[in-house]
DNA sequence: CTGAAAGCGCTAACAG
DNA sequence: CTGTTAGCGCTTTCAG
């Protein structure tokens, strides 16, 4: 209220804006340096000015402890230099890996990272997508676990650049980075087969999620490739989580599998716990393998063989794709439509550890 | 460029701003609805208006798919509804727990969360502190692992509300939430003592970090309280991390401890690995306990006894403290100085699991 | 080289 | 109830 019309006050009073309660602005600096705000802006942005002016401005800015107001700048040039990453659960090491990778790329490019934990709630994901329109961030990396029609619609009409980590139905004009679950599963199954396992149980995640579905499909295929028969009894669907894995494995053990494969490390670890509890030895009696190769894989004993589906890599690529979109002003085509979507697939990698050594009967 | 002076154009052309390439604004809506931007603003903010007007505006807004520009709003009312959380390493489960808690509180209060991984680099922490001045977020939760004089200075002159998770030297006018490491360590040591352990080895983190120091101090004190002598040989400092823990424990095993206590779960897990590798049984031969009670504690075998230092609780409280500061316009005292800092301490909690069962010789 | 002035999108007086 | 207008802080023509 006091600082009214301060912009026009040429008196070097260092008072109005400087004391006006808030942060110093270019106005405070202009007053203090006795120049116009335009000059201040120029100096601060390294645009030509007379040495004397530069000096006065820089001195004033330093004395005042000036920090440019990012919000004002954003309003002016329409970009916030913020990226949003929305994933189901920050408690899952897989997403943590993505966050790390994304944060790292973003930081290097001068972007901040806004985090959203959606708890895999579709509504939340849609809300995030919708809120892209509020211009709070320049782009979004979305990692949905289920993809509904509503997602596709929202993706179609997104009001800003989006990159999806996950498998999108074809035809959706959005960049995406996917994992090769099928090949990943095959890697593990083949490895188990080659180390002498023939009765491989599979503890899978929820069947109605994209990853759950793909992994199940991959498992079937992989068994066939190895010439093993698919026994539905040896496959269980459950929630991701150690407890769930333990419970599920518990029920499978009566079927005397010689290997348990978990659709992620938590599940595998749960299975390992069930085995330990029954006094079964890993890997002598039963081999155990997981997926994701998260920190958890090395936490247990024996260390867990696991398939790295490239979370870090996917995060990195997603961030890079997004940044590319941001740097490319606009497709020459229609109004921000027709982005000619790009898709990459991160290759899986098998990390063999002690949990899948040879079977006792095999040695 | 085309949309120049659009604000003054009263013609209901629905053209200028609506087609101007970008997102719809209140101007587009005003044009389409044939009312003034002020009316649009009022309707959109639920302030009184004639039903007919309300209707026209809402219809126009819906048709245009209008989403308010958060940046513009921020510039206007000086708040972004964003919070920043800066911690050393998002890869550490402890910080993940904090992120979760903070995100949850923030979300409930309508705030977004901005994440910064500082890699425990002091410069980065200071930069974050300094960047508070750019008004990108309304407040900061900082979790430094070391606290230098520079930190204290920066904290003193912070240009916005800050809450520190960690132990601050007294006299720094900043809210903080701390863990009670000393009592936490005591909980574990006492438990080990009570279950028959007498030669307790301690794998600690870096001595020059606040947590490392406090835990070391706590360990000494706890031993004394149990009437055990402090044997410097049984204490090792190393980096946090499973590998480090394994290596460190390795070197301690020759000293025949009957328990190994890790300053965090990773360290304890590393120790467990070393024990397994030597064929020692947990807990029959050697008990193992860790700290933080992270997800890792339940990942291994046997499940790890661990002291929960309340990461989640600390995150929650920090967020709440920060939000309180934000809701409280200003201390009646001087210009945002003298915030009469508040400090809370989260109580530690011992979680007993199988890794610290009774010793074989004791049964 | 420098100053005046026009906005970026929105809210909040202040007049009608 | 509604329209006009003045900014929030900054960048950027456009004239000097």
């Amino acid at each position: 209220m006091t600082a009214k019309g301060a912009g026009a006050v040429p008196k070097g009073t260092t008072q109005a804006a400087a004391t006006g309660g808030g942060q110093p602005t270019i106005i405070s600096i202009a007053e203090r340096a006795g120049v116009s705000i335009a000059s201040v802006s120029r100096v601060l942005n390294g645009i030509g000015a007379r040495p004397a002016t530069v000096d006065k401005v820089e001195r004033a800015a330093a004395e005042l402890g000036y920090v440019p107001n990012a919000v004002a700048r954003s309003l002016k040039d329409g970009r916030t230099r913020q990226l949003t990453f929305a994933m189901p659960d920050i408690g899952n090491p897989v997403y943590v890996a993505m966050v790390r990778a994304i944060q790292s790329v973003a930081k290097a490019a001068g972007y901040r990272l806004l985090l959203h934990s959606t708890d895999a709630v579709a509504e939340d994901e849609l809300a995030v997508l919708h809120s892209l329109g509020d211009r709070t961030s320049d782009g979004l990396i979305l990692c949905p676990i289920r993809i509904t029609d509503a997602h596709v619609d929202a993706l179609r009409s997104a009001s800003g650049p989006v990159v999806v980590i996950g498998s999108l139905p074809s035809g959706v004009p959005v960049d995406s980075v996917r994992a090769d679950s099928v090949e990943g599963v095959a890697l593990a199954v083949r490895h188990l087969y080659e180390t002498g396992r023939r009765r491989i149980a599979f503890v899978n995640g929820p069947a109605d999620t994209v990853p759950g579905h793909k992994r199940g499909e991959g498992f079937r295929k992989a068994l066939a490739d190895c010439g093993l028969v698919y026994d539905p009894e040896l496959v269980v669907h459950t929630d991701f989580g150690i407890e769930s894995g333990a419970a599920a494995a518990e029920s499978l053990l009566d079927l005397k599998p010689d290997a348990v494969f978990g659709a992620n490390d938590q599940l595998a670890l749960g299975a390992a716990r069930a085995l330990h509890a029954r006094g079964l030895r890993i890997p002598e009696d039963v081999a155990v393998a997981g997926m994701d190769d998260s920190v958890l894989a090395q936490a247990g004993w024996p260390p867990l063989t696991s398939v790295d589906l490239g979370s870090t890599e996917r995060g990195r690529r997603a961030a890079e794709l997004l940044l590319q979109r941001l740097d490319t002003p606009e497709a020459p085509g229609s109004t921000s439509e027709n982005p000619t979507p790009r898709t990459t697939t991160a290759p899986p990698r098998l990390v063999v550890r002690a949990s899948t050594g040879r079977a006792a009967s095999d040695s």
Side-chain angles (χ1 to χ4, degrees), chain A residues 261-288:
Chain A
F261 177 39
N264 76 5
D265 288 338
Q266 280 98 315
L267 257 15
L269 250 14
R273 178 189 299 179
L275 291 169
H276 279 124
R278 282 223 189 175
L280 291 168
R281 293 165 306 162
I282 303 172
E284 293 82 354
D285 299 320
V286 181
V288 177

Side-chain angles (χ1 to χ4, degrees), chain A residues 113 136 165 209 234 295:
Chain A
L113 219 216
T136 281
I165 297 184
T209 62
L234 285 174
V295 281

Side-chain angles (χ1 to χ4, degrees), chain A residues 293-319:
Chain A
D293 190 34
S294 61
V295 281
L296 296 175
Q298 304 189 60
W301 184 264
L304 199 64
T305 289
S306 189
V307 176
D308 178 5
L309 289 178
S311 318
T312 298
E313 179 69 7
R314 280 180 284 157
R316 197 175 59 67
R317 290 195 195 176

Side-chain angles (χ1 to χ4, degrees), chain A residues 5 56 72 77 117 122 135 223 235 242 248 257 277 293 338-339 350-351 361:
Chain A
K56 280 188 293 186
D77 58 41
S117 235
R135 307 279 108 180
L223 283 187
V235 176
I242 293 184
D293 190 34
N338 185 38
L350 176 71
V351 181
S361 61

